[in-house]
Amino acid sequence: MESFIYAYSWIDIRFLLQGLWVTIYVSVISIVLSFILGLVFGLIRYMKIKYVSAIVGFIVDIIRNLPLLLIIFFTYFGLPQLGIVTNPTTASIIALVIFEGAMLCEIVRSGINAVPIGQMEGARSNGMTFAQAMYHVVVPQALQNMIPALLSQFVSLVKDTSLATIIVSPELLYHAQIIYSQNTTYLIPMYVIIAIMYFVVCFALSMVASHLEKKFDN
């Protein structure tokens, strides 16, 4: 019990909060950019543009079948070999955006395919262009259908940020490792507190998604 009391000193908690901030920062940036990437790639695959859609599909299939850890290693150790120097945080964001963007691409494509074809036909018959019909009619309905799958993927993304500790990104798990490496009796208290922190972040994200889902339903 004493190990919990001493492990949760203000100095250690503040240090953990600094790591949590990095985790949230990486998560938010990665969620926004990966969603944009997934939306663009999903639309390209849906529209079946000659050659382009096939190439995008091939790339997405490769990325989806690679371990995220391998992509993290490549962005941190491989990109400098190509003349692109990154710090651990930037490398982890790039890796997450690439990996999650590929995952979201399939969610977007499936969500759009789930919208009845009559919606597009009705919009076009009312004088809308293909782009206008997609923007005003099809995509909004598809997003509503995609909310549960998007939420699940975003929550997974938040948890996947912990893998960035392998390249010494100063996120939550890495800060916890620094603390319990100085005193091994703090190991269990650290894992308990970071589990609580991850739960709070992921639960808050699920609440936001639930609110959006109810808003769309209305």
Side-chain angles (χ1 to χ4, degrees):
M1 188 65 182
E2 288 184 0
S3 63
F4 279 82
I5 296 175
Y6 293 119
Y8 298 153
S9 66
W10 169 240
I11 294 177
D12 289 342
I13 294 297
R14 185 174 60 182
F15 190 60
L16 286 174
L17 289 175
Q18 291 172 353
L20 179 62
W21 164 248
V22 174
T23 293
I24 293 174
Y25 171 77
V26 170
S27 298
V28 171
I29 298 298
S30 299
I31 285 173
V32 172
L33 295 181
S34 64
F35 178 71
I36 294 173
L37 183 65
L39 184 60
V40 172
F41 279 4
L43 287 171
I44 290 174
R45 295 206 65 186
Y46 170 78
M47 290 187 291
K48 295 181 174 60
I49 304 172
K50 190 175 182 179
Y51 300 125
V52 177
S53 294
I55 293 172
V56 169
F58 179 70
I59 294 172
V60 167
D61 286 339
I62 290 176
I63 294 174
R64 290 176 66 235
N65 288 283
L66 292 177
L68 175 56
L69 192 58
L70 177 62
I71 299 176
I72 292 175
F73 276 138
F74 176 78
T75 56
Y76 187 61
F77 297 109
L79 289 183
Q81 303 299 318
L82 302 176
I84 305 174
V85 180
T86 61
N87 58 46
T89 300
T90 302
S92 61
I93 291 174
I94 294 173
L96 286 167
V97 169
I98 292 172
F99 184 76
E100 299 297 337
M103 296 297 184
L104 293 174
C105 169
E106 290 305 294
I107 294 175
V108 170
R109 184 171 70 93
S110 299
I112 295 176
N113 282 331
V115 177
I117 190 65
Q119 296 294 315
M120 171 63 76
E121 294 173 348
R124 294 300 301 274
S125 65
N126 284 323
M128 289 187 181
T129 63
F130 178 83
Q132 289 174 330
M134 289 295 296
Y135 182 79
H136 294 288
V137 179
V138 178
V139 172
Q141 293 182 64
L143 286 175
Q144 183 176 351
N145 297 331
M146 288 187 279
I147 287 179
L150 289 175
L151 165 63
S152 178
Q153 199 61 46
F154 290 156
V155 170
S156 294
L157 187 154
V158 173
K159 293 183 287 187
D160 285 343
T161 58
S162 61
L163 293 175
T165 191
I166 200 71
I167 58 172
V168 201
S169 177
E171 45 76 55
L172 180 57
L173 184 58
Y174 180 69
H175 277 219
Q177 289 176 340
I178 291 177
I179 293 173
Y180 69 67
S181 66
Q182 298 173 358
N183 189 332
T184 55
T185 63
Y186 291 175
L187 191 148
I188 293 179
M190 286 299 104
Y191 280 139
V192 169
I193 190 65
I194 64 175
I196 293 173
M197 288 180 174
Y198 273 119
F199 171 78
V200 169
V201 173
C202 292
F203 184 74
L205 183 59
S206 67
M207 290 295 98
V208 171
S210 296
H211 173 72
L212 291 175
E213 190 172 7
K214 291 179 181 177
K215 185 176 180 180
F216 277 119
D217 288 338
N218 295 332

